[in-house]
Amino acid sequence: MDPHLARLGNTGTVRGPPAPPCYRNTEAGRFAVTTNIQRREVTSVRSRETRRSPPGAGSREPGRRPSKRFPAGGGMMAAQALALLRDVSRLEAPLEELRALQSVLQAVPLSELREHAVELRLSPLFSLLNENHREQTTLCVSILERLLQALEPVHVARNFRVDLQRGLTHPNDSVKILTLSQVRRIVENSDAVTEVLNNPELLKQIIYCIGGENLSVAKAAIKSLSKISLTQAGLEALFESSLLDDLKTVMKTNDIVRYRVYELIVEISSVSPESLNYCSTSGLVTQLLRELTGEDVLVRATCIEMVTSMAYTHHGRQYLAQEGVIDQISNIIIGADSDPFSSFYLPGFVKFFGNLAIMDSPQQICERFPVFVEKVFEMTESQDPTMIGVAVDTIGILGSNIEGKQVLQKTGTRFERLLKRIGYQAKNASTELRIRCLDAVSSLLYLPPEQQTDDLLRMTESWFSSLYRDPLELFRGISNQPFPELHCGALKVFTAIANQPWAQKLMFNSPGFVEYVMDRSMEHDKASKDAKYELVKALANSKTVAEIFGNPNYLRLRTYVSEGPYYVKPISTTAVEGAE
């Protein structure tokens, strides 16, 4: 060891020269200073323990502990951690040692801990979790979280089986979360997962964690169970044993917990047709669908989100169609006009069809369920901002591909009036709704280069003109407002049309627009700089921009792109002789 880095004094405390000021502010300097502090803390703890030790033990001098030689170099901190871990296991009230151990472990790389995995004795730490002492429990959780990462999942599953089960029933939620994180490590490991599957008591405790008050604990339990269900053996364990009864018992806790179980079932059923079959056979999917079409409007609003998640997969959509659920949702929308409480669930039902259309075929869905399109148009004329927002989002989703654009185009003048409404809201509505309008307009107007036929280009140009009397100035005005999200939303609209010749001509012929595009001083945050860069890149990569903008402007665009989004032009200064 370099003698200038550390010297041992008579007390055994590690000392060293103070780091120079310029070095203290570096990452390496901070680590060096922190390490020295931790070494002094460890030595201090050992000195205190020496004073507590009974004299005359063995052949050592009274009141003295045997000296411990720590290896030089990178393994020193790991050795100190192991020594402290041994101290913790011998003491009845090791609070000071736990604090020191937590501090030391922060400086030990995980790779070093793994090298000493066979020496890690964690049972004393688990036993200290049973004490009614908040700080002690918190320290133990932090230490175990670090040390368990150094052990293989199989080792954890086999050697801490009882400790994991106790952890899931511990009154402290941080202990439950620690335990569930280890369970998740185990079930994600193909060699270790069988240890959990062969432990029905542990699985039962995981299920009951769904019913706890702490949402983080419940979410962790749901995630672990969904991982377990990825295997055939996991599906059988959950749905073909008494655990299914436990799951149904937990559901009876309250409405919130029931929806958590539905969330788990939907997540499992989305994996494969076989998984969906297990969930359906259990009766839980049928129960969810029954609640969706029931009379309770608040329950409908909650259940439709879960059913929409089921529709994200092809086998899920097939199942919903076979069970007649899609037709039932359509009928509920038809009857919504006579339901004074329809505003609670209608947005979710419309979103369901919007997602269904974009995942299947917009034309088929809109033709088969015309009430869906009709309701979307009605909602854009509502006085309720929530309804308008959902309608605008749905229009943006529908118009995100060519088939959806053509479906909307077929509605003729009605869609033109809807576009005027969106343009009006983009200028005058609340900030949140304006941003949603800008996103929808971007989605509607974008055309990939390979799909830019004359008909489609005329269509997007017509749509753009329908938004406002001078739409280019409308969006330019929005982009000049001091709200980053609005600024980026307007730039996103320009980016959507930047590769279309008609838009490039509008931009070039608009006074000052080209200079506005090249001006970096308008963007003050990362998101805005990135949005402006995407606009410039879309223009620069277009095959028609050189002809429309002219070669000098085209070269300026290419230079902007090559300099990157965060380029800052250097400022030259002139030195004057004699100046201070």
Side-chain angles (χ1 to χ4, degrees), residues 345-363:
Y345 60 82
L346 197 54
F349 279 41
V350 169
K351 283 181 184 178
F352 170 81
F353 273 107
N355 284 293
L356 204 63
I358 204 63
M359 287 182 290
D360 261 347
S361 163
Q363 184 172 341

Side-chain angles (χ1 to χ4, degrees), residues 280-327:
S280 176
T281 304
S282 73
L284 295 178
V285 175
T286 304
Q287 186 175 333
L288 168 63
L289 298 178
R290 194 183 302 123
E291 293 199 37
L292 172 69
T293 55
E295 297 301 320
D296 191 323
V297 293
L298 295 178
V299 169
R300 283 183 182 178
T302 304
C303 292
I304 189 61
E305 294 184 16
M306 298 178 186
V307 174
T308 300
S309 297
M310 286 185 66
Y312 286 145
T313 63
H314 179 68
H315 66 270
R317 292 193 296 278
Q318 278 188 326
Y319 177 83
L320 294 174
Q322 289 168 1
E323 296 296 314
V325 177
I326 300 176
D327 290 319

